Amino acid sequence: CDVSNAKLDIPSGQTNVTLPSGVKPRFITVGLGTQNYTCSSSGTYINVGAVAELLDISCLVSDKAFTSLRKRAPFPDSDAVWEHEARVRALLGPNRLRLGQHYFETNPTGAAGVTPVFDFRGDLLKNDSQAFTAVTKLGGLLAPTNSTQDVDWLELSTFQGNAASFVFRVDTHFGQPPKTCQPGSAQIQVRYSAKY
């Protein structure tokens, strides 16, 4: 489905996540996966990346059934997370199209840390070596739904690859870690979904 006229629904009255003039969507996906955290020496979790499968929702963007899945649940690791993901997958049906994957890799510029990547080379655009986008964060906004449960909304800009110039993470569900942890404890993965 053509999504070039789809509108990005972001909160007004803020400038942290904005749509640059003239930018139109190329793909609209739902990402289903995990936010990954490690415990700091101060006893709080630090995000160290994410892994998600990117499923095409271009034909469902304005579908009321999809919109109705924006249900809240009390805690990120509850059974409600799995139920939410199961409802999304059921709505998309058995013939859902996996556009690609979202993951983090070592920063290709040589700088410290990791870089978010949206990669369509293994799925939708197998013959295009540039069908990915490595991004850097331009802005972030606490999730307007429930920021203690849902990961932030983000505006990301591409610095490598040609799958997109910008990536937006909105309509997030779950993904936040518990508030505290025991230093030295194992890395955790917290299920989440988001519209990209």
Side-chain angles (χ1 to χ4, degrees):
C1 293
D2 179 15
V3 295
S4 60
N5 291 317
K7 303 293 183 206
L8 182 62
D9 185 17
I10 51 178
S12 59
Q14 56 82 34
T15 57
N16 293 332
V17 175
T18 59
L19 184 64
S21 178
V23 171
K24 294 186 175 192
R26 183 173 176 196
F27 305 104
I28 300 179
T29 71
V30 62
L32 299 173
T34 62
Q35 293 287 318
N36 304 324
Y37 298 91
T38 190
C39 187
S40 71
S41 59
S42 63
T44 57
Y45 281 106
I46 300 169
N47 188 289
V48 291
V51 176
E53 157 177 61
L54 301 173
L55 303 174
D56 183 22
I57 60 166
S58 300
C59 296
L60 294 173
V61 171
S62 59
D63 188 304
K64 290 182 182 177
F66 188 79
T67 304
S68 73
L69 290 173
R70 297 178 185 179
K71 294 178 77 172
R72 310 273 41 92
F75 187 72
D77 288 332
S78 71
D79 288 342
V81 178
W82 296 99
E83 292 166 9
H84 170 76
E85 184 172 320
R87 286 191 300 270
V88 172
R89 288 183 185 279
L91 180 64
L92 295 176
N95 298 321
R96 61 185 172 262
L97 174 62
R98 187 170 105 159
L99 295 179
Q101 300 173 50
H102 169 43
Y103 55 86
F104 281 60
E105 66 180 15
T106 303
N107 194 319
T109 67
V114 291
T115 297
V117 176
F118 296 83
D119 192 347
F120 297 161
R121 293 173 292 189
D123 294 284
L124 179 67
L125 303 170
K126 290 182 179 177
N127 297 320
D128 184 351
S129 65
Q130 290 296 303
F132 73 97
T133 183
V135 296
T136 186
K137 181 178 170 181
L138 289 181
L141 173 69
L142 291 177
T145 47
N146 181 345
S147 62
T148 62
Q149 172 182 286
D150 304 331
V151 289
D152 295 351
W153 291 20
L154 300 176
E155 177 182 354
L156 308 165
S157 177
T158 296
F159 68 86
Q160 206 173 60
N162 68 11
S165 299
F166 296 92
V167 175
F168 294 86
R169 181 177 78 187
V170 297
D171 291 341
T172 56
H173 301 284
F174 311 108
Q176 290 284 18
K179 290 192 180 296
T180 61
C181 56
Q182 182 66 41
S185 59
Q187 187 178 94
I188 65 167
Q189 297 178 325
V190 182
R191 303 293 300 179
Y192 86 107
S193 70
K195 188 187 295 178
Y196 288 102

